[in-house]
Amino acid sequence: MMNKRIILIIAWMTALTGLLGQNLMTVEDAVSIALKNNYSIAITKNLADIARVNNTPGNAGMLPTFMINGSDNYSVNNVYLDLSTGSTITANAGKSNAFNAGAALNWTLFDGTKMFITKNKLNQLQKLSEIQLKDTLMQTIFNVTVAFYKVVMQKEQLLAIRDVMAYSLERVKLLQKGYEAGIAHKNDLLQAKIDLNVNREAEINQLNTIHNSKRFLNQAIARDPETEFEVADTIPLNYEPDPADLNKKLYINNPTVLSYQKMVDIARLSVGEFQSYRMPKLNFITSYNFQQNDNNASTVLTNRTYGPLVGGSLVIPVYQAGNALRQVKAAKIQLQSSQYLLDDVKLAIYTQLKTALTEFEDQKSLLAIERDNLTLAKENLKISLERLRLGQTTALEVRQAQESYANSLARLYDFEFNLKVTETQLKQLVAGL
């Protein structure tokens, strides 16, 4: 008894050491890595940063512009001047210098409220970019989650293949003994060995499928495809959707709906921008200028002027060849199109929710049936093997029972995976990932 306990402890410690030695990754780990590394997220975040940088009062035209300018032009010319007084001025290599400097401030005081509409539009564009970033985050989380549980499901399938292979090996052993005892046919033994080899081939193929699924997950989280990691071999299924709560949150939280709603808001502001083009525009201008011209080949040797300037301009659009009216009409049509797109997206998202809810309930029912079916298939297989051991049945019956058990296992893990994918989709629709 003591020796058995020691063996069990050593086996447990060996298994634990092997598990800890591997890089066991959870779905939360995968999502965390993806949120840090994913290229689509990085690009969308840059776009959001651009929208934030562009959202300034100055970009909306609400602030004045101030400029300092200056120039200095030096020239050497041969000059001949024939004056009205009858005198003549000539100069070879006459030198002249013109220097100008000034500072000017230009401020639009009124532009038909366009600057305020534009500032609001910039606010909405920034919010739109933030919503689109969230949409990208949600899509990335969805893709990574599905890819992660794809690996888990493939690992479950591998365990199922090995489980079936164990029964195939037992079947071969029983038929080998029966053949040696002269109570089993050789063709039954050969078929059992063929089936065992097919199971071994399936194991090799499944291992390759797992490696490919891991590479795809590594790509989704933007790291080296050959990075080694392990996952658990079970899919947690403890989610119970609340249809009323999902319906309530759908249009409030769904990033796609919110994006199209912002596009409607932006299109409405664009109408206001074009309408402001028909309003007067008032500018305030002030500057200080300095100018000096020196010319040794002229009657005026030095000409210097300097001083401040204060003024303004008022532009009243009277007739613009119908352009302002045309732009307003086009903007209103675009607004209408944006509203149509929003309504279409709402209907599509609502349909996705209803479809996902139905799919979830169907998959849950199928999973419950298949779990019961698996219990029956496993019991049937064990009974068939025992009957074969006692020589009370044929190898064909055992093979059929084994195939039934293998198919049930495969269906069970498919239903579990599909249920998890549908759960993830429901959460994504209401931005609950």
Side-chain angles (χ1 to χ4, degrees), residues 166-368:
Y167 285 111
S168 294
L169 183 59
E170 184 176 355
R171 184 170 134 223
V172 168
K173 290 179 179 179
L174 289 174
L175 288 172
Q176 182 69 43
K177 289 181 180 179
Y179 175 71
E180 292 173 355
I183 58 175
H185 297 291
K186 185 175 183 180
N187 61 331
D188 291 335
L189 175 60
L190 294 176
Q191 184 61 55
K193 290 183 177 180
I194 291 171
D195 291 341
L196 179 59
N197 285 335
V198 170
N199 292 148
R200 289 168 175 164
E201 291 171 357
E203 180 186 31
I204 295 172
N205 289 330
Q206 188 62 27
L207 285 170
N208 183 56
T209 300
I210 291 174
H211 290 322
N212 289 336
S213 298
K214 287 183 176 181
R215 291 187 185 102
F216 183 79
L217 178 56
N218 277 327
Q219 178 186 350
I221 61 179
R223 69 178 187 179
D224 188 343
E226 298 304 319
T227 302
E228 290 294 333
F229 66 92
E230 263 305 332
V231 298
D233 54 10
T234 56
I235 297 178
L237 299 171
N238 51 9
Y239 174 70
E240 286 297 331
D242 182 350
D245 184 59
L246 292 174
N247 278 305
K248 181 180 178 181
K249 294 179 179 178
L250 184 62
Y251 297 149
I252 299 175
N253 294 344
N254 185 272
T256 303
V257 172
L258 295 178
S259 293
Y260 279 89
Q261 181 62 64
K262 279 299 168 194
M263 292 178 187
V264 171
D265 296 339
I266 292 169
R268 185 175 291 111
L269 290 170
S270 295
V271 174
E273 278 186 321
F274 288 120
Q275 286 176 334
S276 69
Y277 291 160
R278 297 182 292 185
M279 301 293 289
K281 185 175 182 179
L282 177 64
N283 285 338
F284 170 74
I285 302 170
T286 182
S287 64
Y288 189 93
N289 298 296
F290 177 87
Q291 179 178 0
Q292 179 171 319
N293 294 318
D294 296 315
N295 192 336
N296 65 356
S298 173
T299 56
V300 180
L301 297 179
T302 300
N303 180 8
R304 181 186 302 122
T305 60
Y306 55 90
L309 179 147
V310 177
S313 65
L314 175 64
V315 178
I316 301 176
V318 178
Y319 179 69
Q320 304 176 62
N323 284 329
L325 181 61
R326 174 185 58 78
Q327 290 171 322
V328 170
K329 285 183 178 179
K332 287 182 177 179
I333 295 172
Q334 181 59 50
L335 172 60
Q336 188 180 55
S337 297
S338 299
Q339 186 63 55
Y340 289 154
L341 287 172
L342 174 61
D343 294 339
D344 184 52
V345 165
K346 282 184 175 180
L347 180 60
I349 294 296
Y350 181 74
T351 303
Q352 288 179 30
L353 176 63
K354 292 301 180 183
T355 303
L357 282 170
T358 303
E359 180 73 13
F360 186 87
E361 293 302 320
D362 290 346
Q363 291 295 327
K364 189 166 68 171
S365 299
L366 290 169
L367 180 60

Side-chain angles (χ1 to χ4, degrees), residues 141-151 153 235-237 239 356-357 359-360 363 413-429 433:
I141 293 173
F142 175 80
N143 293 337
V144 170
T145 302
V146 172
F148 178 87
Y149 285 114
K150 187 75 171 180
V151 176
M153 188 267 286
I235 297 178
L237 299 171
Y239 174 70
L357 282 170
E359 180 73 13
F360 186 87
Q363 291 295 327
Y413 295 137
D414 281 339
F415 290 148
E416 285 184 351
F417 175 71
N418 292 337
L419 188 62
K420 194 64 180 181
V421 171
T422 308
E423 171 193 329
T424 308
Q425 183 182 11
L426 284 170
K427 292 179 179 179
Q428 184 202 25
L429 285 171
L433 290 174

